Amino acid sequence: MAALAVALSGCGLIGQPQNKSAELSEWFTVTSPVFRDGGDLPARYACATYSGSAALGKTPPLRWSAGGVRTAQSYAIVVDDPDAAGGTNVHWVVAGIDQAQHELVEGGRLGTMVEARNTAKKVGYTPPCPPKGERHRYRFTVYALDTRVPFANGATLKDALGDIAKHTVGRGRITGNFGDK
């Protein structure tokens, strides 16, 4: 768990980034057409446990504007839940998104993307699914990277987050809330 905390802090998920070029001056805007920052994440993007929600478990659409990050060669996205029992739970780690791409459509998978293992040790996206009676924050952080693909498909969470931290030149985030109120 301590190694995961170090990797998460390197990516800026918790604490300060290790790469000085990724300080706050390099933050950019991330938005979604289906929820606003700090607002409610629609139930269709959650797990099927929430009955009656028409949950599809797909990734929500995201858009980012990293025009000021001129050294970006590609983008990575990390989705995490900082309110999970036992510490931050990473739901998705993906990289290899082309520098010209500034949008991910609902359930989007791009041919150039590689995915690492998440906290559940699975490759791919695990939708939000807080325990009944709890409300959690889900952070969708987009990283501008100075390399094309920093890790191989199926990489461990620790390795992938460490590689993203080493190559981050900018980042942006949107947070959605989900669960019982």
Side-chain angles (χ1 to χ4, degrees):
M1 198 57 132
L4 181 58
V6 170
L8 289 172
S9 67
C11 273
L13 291 174
I14 59 176
Q16 293 299 312
Q18 292 175 349
N19 185 336
K20 290 188 193 242
S21 67
E23 294 296 337
L24 292 178
S25 63
E26 297 297 334
W27 278 88
F28 51 84
T29 302
V30 178
T31 62
S32 177
V34 298
F35 70 100
R36 72 181 204 300
D37 188 37
D40 290 340
L41 187 63
R44 68 181 277 113
Y45 302 106
C47 67
T49 300
Y50 285 84
S51 62
S53 69
L56 300 175
K58 294 182 178 182
T59 58
L62 300 172
R63 298 179 182 143
W64 56 93
S65 58
V69 185
R70 300 198 187 332
T71 58
Q73 295 296 308
S74 68
Y75 295 99
I77 300 173
V78 176
V79 179
D80 76 308
D81 170 4
D83 302 319
T88 302
N89 187 342
V90 177
H91 288 254
W92 196 35
V93 180
V94 62
I97 301 170
D98 189 85
Q99 67 170 348
Q101 186 78 30
H102 293 270
E103 179 177 23
L104 187 67
V105 298
E106 179 181 293
R109 296 285 190 269
L110 305 170
T112 59
M113 288 174 31
V114 296
E115 295 174 298
R117 296 184 182 279
N118 56 30
T119 300
K121 298 184 182 346
K122 296 180 181 180
V123 174
Y125 180 71
T126 301
C129 198
K132 290 288 186 177
E134 293 184 22
R135 188 165 176 74
H136 289 203
R137 294 170 291 157
Y138 293 89
R139 302 183 299 192
F140 297 79
T141 307
V142 179
Y143 295 92
L145 307 177
D146 65 4
T147 188
R148 299 281 305 144
V149 181
F151 56 84
N153 202 45
T156 66
L157 179 59
K158 179 183 173 189
D159 289 346
L161 294 178
D163 289 342
I164 290 171
K166 284 187 243 176
H167 294 284
T168 296
V169 294
R171 62 186 173 164
R173 176 181 291 157
I174 186 171
T175 302
N177 300 302
F178 187 76
D180 299 324
K181 294 182 180 182

